[in-house]
Amino acid sequence: MKALLIKEFRENSKWLVVGLVLFAGVAYCWLPEIRFTWSYSFVSSFEKSLTAIVGFLGGLFALSLGVLQSALDLRSGPRAYLQHRGVKSSQIVLAKLITGFTIYAIAILIPMSLLAVYLGGFGIQTIPVRPYQIVRALAAGFFAYIMHPAAILCLSRGASWWGTKTIPIFAALAIAGSMIVYCTVTSDWLWLFPVYMLLLAITCWAAVDAWEKLSLNPPAAQSLPNGWRVNGVLFLGSLACTLIALQLLSPLGSLLHRTERREFETKFDLSTGEPWAVSTRPEDLLKSNVEKSNGSIFGSKIQIGVVPNEFSFMPKKMQLGSMQYLTDDPDPSTMFQSLYSDQYNYWNHPIWANVIDRRGYLLRYSVIDRERPRLDSIIDKEGIHSPNSLPDKPFVNLREILNGPSGFRAYFDSKGVYALQRYRSNAPDVLLNRLVEGNVSAAELSTIPILDVHRLVVVVDGEVREYQLLDENDSEEWTTDAQTVTIDDNGTKTLSRKGEEQAIRAKLIQSVALPVQFANRKPHSLLRTQAGYVVMVDSFSPKYFLLKFDGTSEELPVPKDESSSNALANPVNATLPPALMLIASFAHFIYWANRGESAELVEWLMERKSILVYLAILGIIFVLASVWVVNRMLRKRGIAGKLRWAWLLTCIPLGIATPLVVASIYAVRVREKCMSCGQPRSVDLEHCEVCNTQWPLGELEGIEVFDTNASLQSESLLST
Amino acid sequence: MNRDNVIQSDRLTRYFGKRVVVQDLNFSVPRGSIVGLLGLNGAGKSTAIRMMMGFLTPTRGRCEILGRNSQDLRPEDRVRIGYAVEGHFLYPWMKVQDCEAFGRDTFPRWSREQFYATIDRFGIAPSQKVNWLSRGQRAGVSLASTISSDPELLVLDDPALGLDPVSRRALNETLLDFNDSGARTVLISSHMLDDIERICDRIAIMVAGRILVDCKLDDFRSRIAAWSIESSSDPGTYGRIPGLIHSHRRSHSWVVTVANPNDATLSALEQLGAVSCEPVDITFEEAVIAYLARSRRSDTFLSGARAAS
């Protein structure tokens, strides 16, 4: 083993230089961005971009490394020189894996560590990026390492048929790709890490297995390839192939259903609280010059017409896509604090940039000099601190309330609602007020158009409470103070000082108890209308309630989420493997059942029976088509009997993945005409499939000179 | 399998695409012998050896080597076989002494003395880098690496390719020393007919993927004969000479080479009606070339031979 490791390191150490240059280049490309074009958008996207790039390039490098390590040793001469020894093939491939991982790890770790040191040199004083924020990129890079054993597995397989060679690459690509996406997009999927490790182990194991056994075995023509591990990889790979193929097809399906697809935004009439589904499709706007709501082939028609002028959007954060963000549940990611970056929420302002740190601090940067921003203050629930003193009373899941009037920012966490006023004439220039105390689950600043004032509406302790926001003169008119920014000839920015002395306080004016149906459903967004409070509850499908000021409530009709139902009705979905669909449905069901809302899913599905029937019919058609195609393929490949039936039955759970699997596992056979029966017979079988005769011996030419010792020639191995 | 044979193949066949490269190869290597495998380039020698060594999967048929299916060779089987591939592959970044160390670490039995004795015979210094070795020196290191593991069977794929006479002599001496006790076996494929004649006791000739000769060297010599025939046309085209291997023109006459000559052969020669027909001596090299030249002839020749038989 030592000799093999030395050999591998000696031969492949040059690729370390390539890897270092590659990843150092990636790190270096960020430096001018960090130093000279510091911007909020860059910093907020820094981690995601770095993660995606390192993951992508890491996968490419791992794949190349695996190919280069294996390809050189699979040439005829080097292969015989290496393998014709007293070492197991598994030791050879293990040496390759160890070497490859070491090179890969060093190539990633050194440049990324240097980048972390560089970021640390700036410090949070200047940019809200911490050195450990490269950890997510590192994780993505190491997830991508799975391409290395996959490449070795791909090249080491002895089967000459392309499918069995390339499928491990697709499987690894699916695994690495999904993990990198999880690293990039969300931070709540790290529980998948053990699954990834398991898949990585299986892939490595299959690589060793393939190198050890399959490379020397004849092609498995009449049976499945040996070894369940390889079968597992093949199965995963076939599914991955199918999904990739479907992703290529899905734009076609989307095009077919373009007429049915609409994007919605939910708006509420501020007079009546009535919800409106507003289509923002450009074609609709062009046709009628008004915003129109939408109908669908599968859902019932909903209100179509001109939306009243007095309406308001349900706040963005209260849309379906942000439901999880609004919930105040304990964040599981805190268990993996070191792997998660802080979440930032920026807004542009000529002078200040406020950053919500995930740990619960408000970081306030001065950006007058945009190239050299400085941390001005750190704000916690106790007050405002200098950047050099770390406060110890962070907010708990701090959320910003949008739609605040100019010059006023409000936040809420599970302990209350806070107002941050940014402009005062005397130091300190930031004022933090606790407006409401209590376990706030939802809060919103609502505008009352008639009065032109803002009201704070919160859900706290089972009540919806409405507060007036008053200044020091008990006036609500402070919200009308528009602040202006003046830039003089020297480029110096100054703010108008209207209203900046006003310290806002909240005064409770009314409260309405939430009805009992909210007992198990946490409201997470609300809006004040003249008819009452529109409350949205977290559910599989959105549910709106109008809670009137007199305490009564009624459920509002909800515009159907036709974009999702139409997406479900896409015929491409019917081509997905039925087993995969069932597993996905089951997982979805379990997910929502855990939230105590299983009935919602059933209800949602029951409302769309037509889609289910439509998909079921299409699915059956695709399965039958698969059976027909597979049957033809098996016949061409000379596969019959139980194995043929097994593959035909496989069409039921795997659908159109089955032809892909069959095509990839079984090679098309070379055939010659049988001298006995005249039928084409496979050249790799000892007997004719039709007449069962052996291959005839070649015709003697009379010039053969063989040993007179008959025993040397006549004894047939096959007969024994 | 016959226990006296270290290699025995049974109808070993290999296709590359639709082209058959090795066809129904029935071939055996008796224990203790030195067997020369001869054939033109592309005859299928290396393909056959790769299948025998388990590095290429046969399309059909099978082969046993040292009593084990060649496709299922384990490391403990492989260490009993020394195998030098065509081209004498060695890791170019190694020094000669590194090759020795690599072999020592990867073979359970290893003779350091044997290694250094062999490279000494080829005039190679241990500190030389492989990348800078001549072809002959590389052959020496390859041979030293192969035989230092003390194998029972030595398989050499064209080891003399491109070697100078001195290196070839060193190679031959090494092989003869290796087989000195008669307990070890050598299979060597080569184009060097004089070397083969000098060191081998059996030969096998492959023509277009098929074995046409597989016998002792002396048997081969005794079963090939040639006649000089004065004739205006090629006597081979008449297609009436049984066992006709090859005919070629020499000066004003034709030389026909025949396998397994007998009374029927003499009778056929007489019926040609030639001006004269005299037996001539034929060397081993000429006999082998007669076989090898067959594949370069047109189909009419073969058709004639078939018709005659």
Side-chain angles (χ1 to χ4, degrees), chain B residues 238-240 302-309:
Chain B
Y238 293 112
R240 297 199 186 99
L302 295 173
S303 307
R306 282 197 198 100
S309 62

Short mmCIF file of all heavy atoms in Angstrom, two decimals, chain B residues 238-240 302-309:
data_model
loop_
_atom_site.label_atom_id
_atom_site.label_comp_id
_atom_site.label_asym_id
_atom_site.label_seq_id
_atom_site.Cartn_x
_atom_site.Cartn_y
_atom_site.Cartn_z
N TYR B 238 -2.70 -23.80 -59.41
CA TYR B 238 -3.45 -24.98 -59.90
C TYR B 238 -4.33 -25.55 -58.79
O TYR B 238 -5.33 -26.20 -59.06
CB TYR B 238 -2.49 -26.06 -60.40
CG TYR B 238 -1.75 -25.63 -61.65
CD1 TYR B 238 -0.38 -25.40 -61.62
CD2 TYR B 238 -2.43 -25.44 -62.84
CE1 TYR B 238 0.30 -25.00 -62.75
CE2 TYR B 238 -1.75 -25.03 -63.99
CZ TYR B 238 -0.39 -24.82 -63.94
OH TYR B 238 0.28 -24.40 -65.04
N GLY B 239 -3.90 -25.34 -57.55
CA GLY B 239 -4.76 -25.76 -56.45
C GLY B 239 -4.86 -27.25 -56.28
O GLY B 239 -5.85 -27.75 -55.79
N ARG B 240 -3.81 -27.95 -56.71
CA ARG B 240 -3.92 -29.41 -56.59
C ARG B 240 -2.86 -29.99 -55.65
O ARG B 240 -2.70 -31.20 -55.60
CB ARG B 240 -3.75 -30.06 -57.97
CG ARG B 240 -4.82 -29.68 -58.97
CD ARG B 240 -4.84 -30.68 -60.09
NE ARG B 240 -5.78 -30.26 -61.14
CZ ARG B 240 -5.43 -29.64 -62.26
NH1 ARG B 240 -4.15 -29.37 -62.49
NH2 ARG B 240 -6.33 -29.30 -63.15
N LEU B 302 -5.97 -19.22 -51.30
CA LEU B 302 -6.61 -20.03 -50.26
C LEU B 302 -7.68 -20.92 -50.88
O LEU B 302 -7.85 -22.07 -50.49
CB LEU B 302 -7.23 -19.13 -49.20
CG LEU B 302 -6.23 -18.30 -48.39
CD1 LEU B 302 -6.97 -17.33 -47.49
CD2 LEU B 302 -5.36 -19.21 -47.56
N SER B 303 -8.40 -20.37 -51.83
CA SER B 303 -9.44 -21.17 -52.47
C SER B 303 -8.82 -22.39 -53.13
O SER B 303 -9.35 -23.51 -53.04
CB SER B 303 -10.17 -20.34 -53.52
OG SER B 303 -10.62 -19.16 -52.95
N GLY B 304 -7.68 -22.16 -53.75
CA GLY B 304 -7.00 -23.28 -54.40
C GLY B 304 -6.57 -24.32 -53.40
O GLY B 304 -6.72 -25.53 -53.62
N ALA B 305 -6.06 -23.85 -52.24
CA ALA B 305 -5.62 -24.79 -51.23
C ALA B 305 -6.80 -25.61 -50.70
O ALA B 305 -6.69 -26.81 -50.48
CB ALA B 305 -4.96 -24.03 -50.08
N ARG B 306 -7.94 -24.94 -50.52
CA ARG B 306 -9.12 -25.66 -50.02
C ARG B 306 -9.57 -26.70 -51.04
O ARG B 306 -9.88 -27.82 -50.70
CB ARG B 306 -10.26 -24.67 -49.77
CG ARG B 306 -10.10 -23.89 -48.51
CD ARG B 306 -11.41 -23.24 -48.11
NE ARG B 306 -11.14 -22.17 -47.15
CZ ARG B 306 -11.09 -20.89 -47.48
NH1 ARG B 306 -11.29 -20.51 -48.73
NH2 ARG B 306 -10.84 -20.00 -46.56
N ALA B 307 -9.56 -26.28 -52.29
CA ALA B 307 -10.01 -27.21 -53.33
C ALA B 307 -9.10 -28.43 -53.37
O ALA B 307 -9.57 -29.56 -53.52
CB ALA B 307 -10.02 -26.50 -54.67
N ALA B 308 -7.81 -28.17 -53.17
CA ALA B 308 -6.88 -29.29 -53.20
C ALA B 308 -7.10 -30.25 -52.06
O ALA B 308 -6.99 -31.47 -52.21
CB ALA B 308 -5.45 -28.74 -53.15
N SER B 309 -7.43 -29.70 -50.88
CA SER B 309 -7.62 -30.58 -49.73
C SER B 309 -8.96 -31.31 -49.81
O SER B 309 -9.15 -32.31 -49.16
CB SER B 309 -7.55 -29.78 -48.44
OG SER B 309 -8.60 -28.85 -48.44
#
